[in-house]
Amino acid sequence: MEASHPAVPWDRDELTVGDLAARSGVAVSALHFYERKGLISSRRTSGNQRRYRRETLRRVAFIRVSQRVGIPLADIGAALATLPGDRTPTAKDWRRISQAWHDDLDARIEQLSRLRDHLTDCIGCGCLSLRRCALTNPHDELAEAGPGPRTLLVEGLEPDGSDRPA
Amino acid sequence: MEASHPAVPWDRDELTVGDLAARSGVAVSALHFYERKGLISSRRTSGNQRRYRRETLRRVAFIRVSQRVGIPLADIGAALATLPGDRTPTAKDWRRISQAWHDDLDARIEQLSRLRDHLTDCIGCGCLSLRRCALTNPHDELAEAGPGPRTLLVEGLEPDGSDRPA
DNA sequence: GGTTGACCTCAACAAAGGTTCAGGTTAGAG
DNA sequence: CTCTAACCTGAACCTTTGTTGAGGTCAACC
């Protein structure tokens, strides 16, 4: 209802949840979910239906890209929360928050590379001594962001240092 | 009870679930869980308590390292299932199954690197056009193993090709 | 003004990877 | 022989990221 003309310019600028879903390729249920989690927000019509600003399209795109990079929704939400609320985010704003992902990704890639390079030494050799292995050594370990196990591997496998391979 | 001597050599070779937990740094509840999932197995004493072979220590270490690499438990279980059941796995056995992780890791690192290199182009520029962006383009996408979102990003952001940055 | 598709809320379920708790048994030290 | 730490099972609960369904409303076309 809003006004009796359904296609005035400033109405054109708003998207229904279905529009947003179609345009972003994200299911309506996921958009509702993101909204419950505070990652996106909407205005309600007098009939209680959601209307999104076009800017939301970019937020959703950012969410999906970030998830693909392996960032949990909570972190994405925190990053989005740093965007200005009083104006539409600029290229600079997006660049700033994407920089954090870039750094995160760098660290993650570095860590995975180390992991890979030690895999053969540590598992491949069959000894897998947790005490000595670089793979399982917490010192080797950084903040570990992103998916995957967060618990660190600890302590010694063989108290006597031997490993009894057979 | 087994036999009336609690410290005979072949008994020394067995670990209680508490021992295994202490040695591997994994909670007892997690070990029970791994056992329910078939990743490890135990003998039971006459009093129904678990006894693990020392070899199990290496399996648990393998599980934790694999999780750290980002492999789901089900896949780890499948890999472990290829180990010989009739003898203690050798260095060669472990090398073989770790090779698969190595390859997986290579692919994952490659993909993350591509993602990182496109991040600035795609989010950083502020346009985030899903249609054009390499980040969101399924063609760019491979099997995507490991943690993180599996759903592909799709379709166009702006039907008219423009993006209305502000 | 009626039909139909899109929308609303709330609740339940899913899968992964566990943890916690209740209620009861065992093992081993003294 | 008794005490207690460690063990057992099963069920419930947790987090994340949503999906599905039931029951009901809204909006737009003819």
Side-chain angles (χ1 to χ4, degrees):
Chain A
M1 264 160 182
E2 304 323 293
S4 40
H5 23 202
V8 292
W10 46 269
D11 190 33
R12 269 269 74 203
D13 277 343
E14 290 193 317
L15 302 170
T16 66
V17 71
D19 292 341
L20 188 55
R23 295 287 201 83
S24 66
V26 170
V28 170
S29 60
L31 294 173
H32 284 175
F33 180 73
Y34 295 157
E35 192 165 330
R36 271 206 308 288
K37 294 290 174 178
L39 287 119
I40 58 179
S41 61
S42 59
R43 180 179 81 77
R44 295 300 180 108
T45 65
S46 57
N48 197 36
Q49 296 198 353
R50 292 170 176 84
R51 289 297 179 271
Y52 296 96
R53 283 175 297 162
R54 296 180 78 79
E55 182 201 321
T56 309
L57 214 33
R58 194 165 306 122
R59 284 177 88 96
V60 173
F62 178 77
I63 293 167
R64 301 308 285 196
V65 169
S66 300
Q67 285 194 298
R68 185 138 169 237
V69 164
I71 315 282
L73 273 195
D75 295 0
I76 299 169
L80 286 172
T82 71
L83 288 175
D86 53 340
R87 59 175 170 77
T88 299
T90 64
K92 191 169 179 179
D93 291 317
W94 290 111
R95 200 152 42 231
R96 175 178 55 74
I97 76 176
S98 74
Q99 181 62 46
W101 290 182
H102 191 286
D103 296 347
D104 183 285
L105 221 27
D106 266 345
R108 215 122 45 74
I109 287 169
E110 237 257 311
Q111 202 205 327
L112 282 182
S113 299
R114 267 183 297 130
L115 227 36
R116 177 193 52 191
D117 296 340
H118 287 300
L119 248 192
T120 310
D121 313 351
C122 293
I123 302 179
C125 74
C127 74
L128 248 188
S129 169
L130 286 177
R131 181 108 71 198
R132 294 183 307 261
C133 183
L135 263 190
T136 63
N137 196 332
H139 305 312
D140 182 26
E141 179 56 11
L142 311 173
E144 170 91 58
R150 276 108 213 292
T151 49
L152 300 181
L153 295 160
V154 290
E155 286 310 299
L157 191 55
E158 294 304 309
D160 55 325
S162 79
D163 187 75
R164 309 245 220 146
Chain B
M1 290 277 126
E2 304 323 296
S4 40
H5 22 200
V8 292
W10 45 269
D11 189 33
R12 270 268 74 202
D13 277 343
E14 290 193 318
L15 302 170
T16 66
V17 71
D19 292 339
L20 188 54
R23 296 285 200 83
S24 66
V26 170
V28 171
S29 61
L31 294 173
H32 284 175
F33 180 73
Y34 295 158
E35 192 166 329
R36 270 206 308 289
K37 294 291 176 177
L39 288 134
I40 59 178
S41 62
S42 58
R43 180 179 82 77
R44 295 303 179 106
T45 66
S46 57
N48 197 34
Q49 296 198 354
R50 292 170 177 85
R51 290 298 178 270
Y52 296 96
R53 283 174 297 162
R54 295 181 80 80
E55 182 201 321
T56 310
L57 214 33
R58 194 164 306 123
R59 284 177 87 96
V60 174
F62 177 77
I63 293 167
R64 301 308 287 195
V65 170
S66 300
Q67 285 195 298
R68 185 139 169 237
V69 164
I71 315 283
L73 272 195
D75 295 1
I76 299 170
L80 286 172
T82 70
L83 288 174
D86 53 340
R87 59 175 171 78
T88 299
T90 64
K92 191 169 178 180
D93 290 318
W94 290 110
R95 202 153 42 231
R96 175 177 56 74
I97 79 177
S98 74
Q99 180 61 46
W101 289 183
H102 191 287
D103 296 346
D104 183 286
L105 220 28
D106 266 343
R108 216 123 43 74
I109 288 169
E110 236 257 311
Q111 202 205 328
L112 282 182
S113 299
R114 266 183 297 128
L115 228 35
R116 178 193 53 192
D117 296 340
H118 287 301
L119 248 191
T120 310
D121 312 351
C122 293
I123 302 179
C125 74
C127 74
L128 247 188
S129 170
L130 286 177
R131 180 106 73 196
R132 293 183 308 261
C133 182
L135 262 190
T136 62
N137 197 332
H139 304 312
D140 183 26
E141 179 55 10
L142 311 174
E144 170 90 61
R150 278 105 214 292
T151 49
L152 301 181
L153 296 159
V154 291
E155 286 310 297
L157 191 56
E158 294 304 309
D160 56 326
S162 80
D163 186 76
R164 310 242 223 151

